[in-house]
Amino acid sequence: MHYVVAGGGTGGHIYPAVAIAERLLDKGTVTMLARSGSMEEHVFLAQGLDVQTIRSAPLLYTPRSLWRLARATRSGVRAARRVMMDAHVDAFIGTGGYVSVPGIVAAQMSGVPVYLLEQNTVMGRANRLFSHRARHVFLGFPVAGASGSRFTVTGNPLRRRVYTALTEYRLAKPLRRGLLFIGGSGGASFVNELFLRTIRELDSRGREVSVTVVTGIDDYARICDAVNGLFLRHVNPVVVSYEEHMERLYEQARVAVTRGGALALTELAIGGIYAVVIPYPFAVGRHQSKNATYLESLGLGMRIEQQSLLFDRYLSIVEKALDDEAGTALPASSIFGRDAGDTIVRTIEEECSHD
Ligand SMILES: CC(=O)N[C@H]1[C@@H](OP(=O)(O)OP(=O)(O)OC[C@H]2O[C@@H](n3ccc(=O)[nH]c3=O)[C@H](O)[C@@H]2O)O[C@H](CO)[C@@H](O)[C@@H]1O
């Protein structure tokens, strides 16, 4: 069997593509589509995956960007079609980001079945445009209005080493006491500021705790300088710009303060780490808020909107969660209790073997 996989732009699209590709490699060969010089190309190559570069452009509604979009998509579709015609391709899998669009169009033109992943509680733009043409749409969270036999709530697929490590950590939870701040794959200055204020306050309260922040590359130097200027006696702060092995940070954490990205929330839920979620206020369709609300409904975290955040109330939620020895427990038959990557790949394999 031969599969083509595309997903790019940010970690929330790239890592699910890697997770699916890793498992598809047990069944056959896999070609990844990526933009030249992009984050997805870098990550796919680092994972030892076979990469073909294509062009694509974001869907923006200005006359100039529409022209760019048309040209890039035409070129991207041509390149993706060449990949699909050179080898017999059994399925195309798109995990979002605009790099997946030329792959979807090329697959349809070549008669290759299309599978899509929607990571969030709200359907993204590309998936809304193309889901009716997909053979199957896998959902990382329940999505309102996405019903019918083509849609399956599988949960979000995690890379194997991350999934295995997180499942083990959940069982070892009482040993972990740390606090982790995550702003998503690009970092978030609001979360970084909150980290600074939180460590100052926790230190003044005499709390002995290790607090790690993943700042994102752009804000790293500023946050390091700010931390170096503090005199802390109780809190041990750790500042990281980007972590290739997030499971190592999750291993230490009992509680995380985080944006509401679908993959971060999935990882925290599976790892048994309580999530204090401050959704990005401008996310399309407020999907981060809705992701957070879903987690909250399962008792796995708490949503606090950035606009209405009251620091004292926020800190008391964080402290209560840090003191909670019992921690979170996954509800029976929760989507976080099974390996979504395996479910997705099994479905693709079964459906394609009947073709
Ligand atoms: C601002 C915005 O619109 N962000 C979207 C983007 O988020 P974004 O890509 O930031 O966030 P996610 O939380 O979904 O995924 C981040 C992924 O990157 C990994 N990671 C992160 C930091 C790091 O240092 N190292 C690392 O490996 C995490 O472990 C995770 O696997 O795509 C997600 C999935 O569609 C959406 O839910 C988010 O709303």
Side-chain angles (χ1 to χ4, degrees), residues 117-118 120-129 131 137 139 143-146 151 284 287:
L117 171 71
E118 174 52 62
N120 298 286
T121 44
V122 176
M123 202 72 100
R125 235 180 321 204
N127 281 349
R128 243 180 302 140
L129 271 176
S131 65
V137 183
L139 305 175
V143 176
F151 295 95
V284 179
H287 68 259

Side-chain angles (χ1 to χ4, degrees), residues 165-201:
L166 287 172
T167 313
E168 283 167 11
Y169 300 162
R170 191 171 64 236
L171 304 173
K173 182 167 29 198
L175 303 175
R176 301 182 277 144
R177 302 199 173 276
L179 175 59
L180 175 63
F181 282 72
I182 327 168
S185 54
S189 54
F190 184 87
V191 172
N192 296 341
E193 286 299 329
L194 197 58
F195 158 80
L196 292 174
R197 194 168 171 196
T198 305
I199 55 173
R200 280 197 306 264
E201 187 59 34

Side-chain angles (χ1 to χ4, degrees), residues 84-244:
M84 301 203 192
M85 277 160 12
D86 283 352
H88 171 81
V89 172
D90 295 280
F92 168 80
I93 301 101
T95 62
Y98 48 89
V99 67
S100 58
V101 172
I104 298 173
V105 176
Q108 287 192 320
M109 291 168 81
S110 317
V112 171
V114 171
Y115 291 85
L116 298 176
L117 171 71
E118 174 52 62
Q119 287 85 338
N120 298 286
T121 44
V122 176
M123 202 72 100
R125 235 180 321 204
N127 281 349
R128 243 180 302 140
L129 271 176
F130 293 104
S131 65
H132 64 289
R133 305 211 191 152
R135 181 182 270 188
H136 217 114
V137 183
F138 303 108
L139 305 175
F141 282 80
V143 176
S147 54
S149 58
R150 265 180 324 119
F151 295 95
T152 309
V153 183
T154 51
N156 279 307
L158 303 187
R159 289 158 288 170
R160 265 188 178 139
R161 73 174 150 79
V162 178
Y163 181 79
T164 309
L166 287 172
T167 313
E168 283 167 11
Y169 300 162
R170 191 171 64 236
L171 304 173
K173 182 167 29 198
L175 303 175
R176 301 182 277 144
R177 302 199 173 276
L179 175 59
L180 175 63
F181 282 72
I182 327 168
S185 54
S189 54
F190 184 87
V191 172
N192 296 341
E193 286 299 329
L194 197 58
F195 158 80
L196 292 174
R197 194 168 171 196
T198 305
I199 55 173
R200 280 197 306 264
E201 187 59 34
L202 289 178
D203 196 74
S204 72
R205 295 182 184 193
R207 184 176 275 270
E208 303 288 337
V209 64
S210 179
V211 187
T212 304
V213 62
V214 187
T215 59
I217 290 158
D218 294 345
D219 219 9
Y220 177 65
R222 185 179 75 89
I223 299 300
C224 283
D225 286 349
V227 169
N228 288 337
L230 295 175
F231 175 66
L232 302 172
R233 282 185 304 168
H234 304 282
V235 169
N236 170 33
V238 180
V239 184
V240 177
S241 62
Y242 190 84
E243 175 57 59
E244 297 287 344

Side-chain angles (χ1 to χ4, degrees), residues 6-20:
T10 71
H13 298 297
I14 297 169
Y15 294 121
V18 172
I20 293 173

